[in-house]
Amino acid sequence: MKVLVPVKRVVDYNVKVRVKSDGTGVDIANVKMSMNPFDEIAVEEAVRLKEGGKVTEIVAVSAGVTQCQETLRTAMAIGADRGILVDTAEELQPLAVAKLLKALADKEQPQLIILGKQAIDDDSNQTGQMLAALLGWGQATFASKVVIEDGKATVTREVDGGLETVALPLPAIVTTDLRLNEPRYVTLPNIMKAKKKPLETVKPADLGVDVTPRLKTLKVSEPPKRSAGIMVKDVAELVSKLKNEAKVI
Ligand code: AMP
């Protein structure tokens, strides 16, 4: 069984993002970029399924600028067998990514596609759902446990206030939540091995997909600055301030 794992190159989660002075977006010049953390969990899950004998091939896919090759190499260092870069400098919105992935799924015929539940840069949480709709496949989002058996996936989902377990026939879409697994550290030998794994490059036009943005970002702004805190002498003063100044109790 083949698994497709889409991996997005995003601003590293440790970086404090800065909004551009003209409010048109986030400044990514000279900023550390990494694989979207939920996608690392997706690759790890695919690798565990392969180690468990359920999966024979893992194909990582990244859409974006040429540097996404690094993200694909990381996926291959975790254990993906090969990578596909959809090379474009266009801004890619979730619908465009879903269409690209649909075209690749038609070509590659995977039985399972594991995506992150959301990309930490745009926080859209849309691509997996749109892809499931375009393919006409079942989807299990926010997965915290995935079991593949007898041609079906049994997925435990993190829902408000608890867990829900669903079964869906393959092929299917799964999106990962934080608690699904803890991705392994990539080791130097595996980074070296990843350099030799096959990496194919295609353009959106090769897949017959028009990636023109459908949404226009009007403005991006930073959250309001927090005002400085103050020290209080004792609990009595704290209670008095909370009551009379902050008026929260
Ligand atoms: P989003 O809908 O943007 O929050 O992204 C959800 C998931 O879709 C991500 O965790 C990735 O698995 C996948 N994805 C989104 N954009 C890309 C991209 N440009 N290349 C590869 N995968 C992507």
Side-chain angles (χ1 to χ4, degrees), residues 217-238:
T217 303
L218 300 179
K219 188 170 166 237
V220 177
S221 55
E222 301 221 0
K225 293 249 178 309
R226 285 179 62 177
S227 48
I230 52 161
M231 297 293 282
V232 290
K233 277 199 311 294
D234 50 25
V235 173
E237 188 185 347
L238 174 66

Side-chain angles (χ1 to χ4, degrees), residues 104-167:
L104 284 171
D106 288 344
K107 197 164 147 227
E108 295 281 344
Q109 299 283 311
Q111 286 296 293
L112 186 64
I113 306 181
I114 313 179
L115 304 93
K117 75 166 177 182
Q118 73 191 59
I120 61 163
D121 53 359
D122 58 24
D123 275 341
S124 292
N125 178 354
Q126 294 175 2
T127 310
Q129 293 88 329
M130 287 173 166
L131 178 59
L134 291 175
L135 285 166
W137 295 3
Q139 58 176 306
T141 51
F142 313 121
S144 63
K145 185 170 178 209
V146 177
V147 177
I148 306 290
E149 231 159 34
D150 307 327
K152 68 177 197 313
T154 306
V155 180
T156 305
R157 308 181 55 236
E158 303 226 345
V159 293
D160 273 355
L163 298 172
E164 178 191 41
T165 303
V166 293

